[in-house]
Amino acid sequence: MNAFWIILTGSLVATCCSLLGCYLILRRMAMVGDAISHAVLPGIVIAFLLTGSRDTVPMLIGAGLLGVLTTLLIEFFHRYARVQADASIGVTFTWLFAIGIILLSVFAGQVDLDQDCVLYGEIAYVPLDLWITENGLSFGPRTVWTLGVVALLILLFIVLGYKELFLTAFDPGYAAAIGISTSAWYYALMTAVSLTTVASFESVGAILVVALLVGPPATAYLLTDNFKTMLVLSVLAGILASFAGYYLAVWMDGSIAGAIATFIGFEFLLAFLFSPARGILLRRKVQPVNINQADSVSKTLS
């Protein structure tokens, strides 16, 4: 039963991250997910200091606010300070993450958090944190319920805002011309990324969140040119990595999060090599044929 809860947790995180990651990749903002996943650390610490609780709601609110602040700072530095986009991302998330580390070290005696929890997480402990009612009835791990609600919210967000998210990702100029607020949808997307990141922190850690935000969408991008198909393939790749990563970790007696991230990299490598459209090995096989065809056409015309 423990294996079921662990794989389900990984699959829920993979679903949320993979769907949002497709939009981040198309916007060329994949590293914003990395920035948010690190920059929300001070929000988590401050929320704990203010409430004295590690309950999900204050953690989500504190980190969600820092996630929105991160996107605002990145946009501010890029637009008004005229700093390169990658430089503004790097400056913002390292600064905020450093503040979070300082808060952890200064208030180490008061804050029941640590860097290992935030960075690596421990998905193997998910089955131990059960939601038990006053009557002694167990509803399973709390994390699964939290991630289940987040997954439903992300799916609802994408379904209801599919047109707007699609247009602002592919052609923001056209979207603005027909009256769609590109800024509003940009910040809505970043808020969704923040929500997913925070909900996934304690169970899988920031590193695996980043891997799931980038890896499965990048793999799907190599496999198809259809965006809806890309969304589906991205989710399937993330869920497959959760299954395979768990059993790889059991076989090797190693980190589950590390094994899942490793399998994500393996999926991308396979797509990079053997994708029918963009795989470098298949593309090399096709190129000589095209060259020969071009030579035969040129000879015929001459």
Side-chain angles (χ1 to χ4, degrees):
M1 194 63 182
N2 288 347
F4 168 77
W5 291 123
I6 292 171
I7 294 173
L8 179 59
T9 300
S11 299
L12 289 172
V13 176
T15 299
C16 297
C17 292
S18 298
L19 290 173
L20 296 174
C22 290
Y23 291 99
L24 293 178
I25 283 183
L26 291 175
R27 287 172 171 264
R28 299 181 180 179
M29 297 170 56
M31 294 312 296
V32 171
D34 185 19
I36 292 176
S37 65
H38 287 77
V40 297
L41 177 59
I44 294 175
V45 179
I46 293 171
F48 181 89
L49 292 174
L50 293 177
T51 64
S53 171
R54 287 184 58 190
D55 291 340
T56 303
V57 174
M59 295 292 107
L60 287 176
I61 293 175
L65 291 175
L66 258 294
V68 174
L69 175 62
T70 302
T71 59
L72 289 172
L73 288 174
I74 291 172
E75 188 70 10
F76 176 81
F77 292 144
H78 177 57
R79 180 174 298 182
Y80 297 102
R82 300 189 182 279
V83 178
Q84 293 285 346
D86 55 348
S88 63
I89 291 173
V91 169
T92 302
F93 98 80
T94 52
W95 176 52
L96 291 176
F97 186 63
I99 291 175
I101 294 296
I102 291 173
L103 290 175
L104 278 178
S105 60
V106 171
F107 299 102
Q110 303 179 36
V111 182
D112 187 20
L113 294 168
D114 57 59
Q115 293 92 325
D116 289 342
C117 168
V118 172
L119 289 175
Y120 310 121
E122 190 43 79
I123 196 172
Y125 293 158
V126 166
L128 302 179
D129 184 18
L130 300 176
W131 179 16
I132 301 177
T133 64
E134 295 180 356
N135 297 327
L137 183 63
S138 176
F139 286 98
R142 296 176 183 271
T143 303
V144 172
W145 286 96
T146 301
L147 291 173
V149 172
V150 172
L152 288 176
L153 291 175
I154 298 301
L155 286 171
L156 187 64
F157 170 65
I158 290 177
V159 170
L160 295 180
Y162 179 81
K163 173 185 174 183
E164 290 79 5
L165 289 169
F166 181 85
L167 289 176
T168 54
F170 279 93
D171 194 344
Y174 175 74
I178 62 175
I180 297 176
S181 175
T182 56
S183 296
W185 284 100
Y186 166 79
Y187 290 117
L189 178 62
M190 294 301 105
T191 302
V193 173
S194 301
L195 177 65
T196 299
T197 300
V198 178
S200 308
F201 249 146
E202 191 170 357
S203 57
V204 302
I207 293 176
L208 185 54
V209 170
V210 175
L212 289 168
L213 276 171
V214 179
T219 302
Y221 180 80
L222 294 176
L223 296 175
T224 183
D225 292 324
N226 183 282
F227 183 64
K228 289 184 178 179
T229 305
M230 179 181 173
L231 290 172
V232 175
L233 289 177
S234 178
V235 172
L236 292 178
I239 293 175
L240 177 61
S242 299
F243 273 90
Y246 172 77
Y247 288 107
L248 176 64
V250 171
W251 177 63
M252 297 180 62
D253 191 22
S255 166
I256 297 175
I260 294 174
T262 299
F263 196 84
I264 290 172
F266 179 68
E267 288 177 334
F268 178 79
L269 179 62
L270 289 178
F272 177 70
L273 294 176
F274 302 109
S275 170
R278 299 183 177 89
I280 61 170
L281 294 183
L282 295 182
R283 193 167 56 198
R284 285 180 178 178
K285 292 180 180 180
V286 172
Q287 282 177 347
V289 176
N290 292 337
I291 292 173
N292 292 335
Q293 290 176 348
D295 289 342
S296 63
V297 170
S298 63
K299 290 179 182 179
T300 302
L301 291 176
S302 60

